């Protein structure tokens, strides 16, 4: 929890994937900060090893391993609840980076993306003395 009505959640993860005799690893770190229960800022960084066949590269490169990375940040505005659902609108920016060897296939070592979206999810539940109840909708400023 943060001071006021917000909260913060973070995850750090590492994994290993083995397919046949090839093994790859990946790392991610992400955080979301909920400000005053309505405004959510989030970020994520990923660094992973990918086989050439996962990246749909031509024959000869399909068995090679490449390190690729992605950084993303975004914002979601949570709206009042409707019928047990919590709508939200948001947007984000991602930037990906590939090794120099892959530049001819991607046209650049760095690519960027923009997301604009509408989100609909169940209203968060709160447990009080063994029972579960829906949290009240956030107050709308006048």
């Amino acid at each position: 929890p943060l001071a006021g009505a917000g909260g913060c959640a973070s995850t750090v993860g590492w994994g290993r994937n083995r397919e046949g005799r090839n093994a790859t690893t990946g790392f991610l770190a992400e955080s979301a900060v909920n400000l005053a229960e309505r405004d959510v800022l989030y970020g994520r960084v990923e660094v992973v090893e990918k086989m050439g066949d996962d990246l749909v590269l031509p024959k000869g490169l399909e068995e090679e391993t490449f390190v690729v990375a992605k950084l993303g940040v975004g914002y979601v505005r949570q709206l009042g609840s409707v019928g047990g659902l919590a709508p939200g609108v948001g947007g984000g920016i991602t930037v990906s980076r590939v090794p120099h060897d892959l530049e001819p296939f991607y046209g650049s070592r760095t690519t960027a993306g923009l997301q604009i979206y509408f989100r609909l999810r169940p209203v968060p539940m709160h447990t009080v003395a063994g029972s579960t109840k829906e949290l009240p909708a956030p107050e709308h400023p006048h």
Side-chain angles (χ1 to χ4, degrees), residues 99-112:
H100 185 306
D101 297 349
L102 298 183
E103 187 173 356
F105 303 103
Y106 287 88
S108 172
R109 289 194 62 203
T110 305
T111 60

Side-chain angles (χ1 to χ4, degrees), residues 44-106:
R44 180 179 177 125
V45 62
E46 301 174 53
V47 179
V48 298
E49 293 177 320
K50 299 297 280 183
M51 298 299 296
D53 62 342
D54 290 335
L55 299 171
V56 194
L57 296 176
K59 290 199 183 290
L61 295 176
E62 56 194 5
E63 293 296 316
E64 289 192 41
T65 303
F66 300 92
V67 176
V68 296
K70 183 163 81 171
L71 172 68
V73 295
Y75 167 80
V76 179
R77 173 71 175 182
Q78 299 179 150
L79 308 173
S81 65
V82 177
L85 296 174
V89 294
I93 297 171
T94 58
V95 177
S96 300
R97 184 88 167 162
V98 298
H100 185 306
D101 297 349
L102 298 183
E103 187 173 356
F105 303 103
Y106 287 88

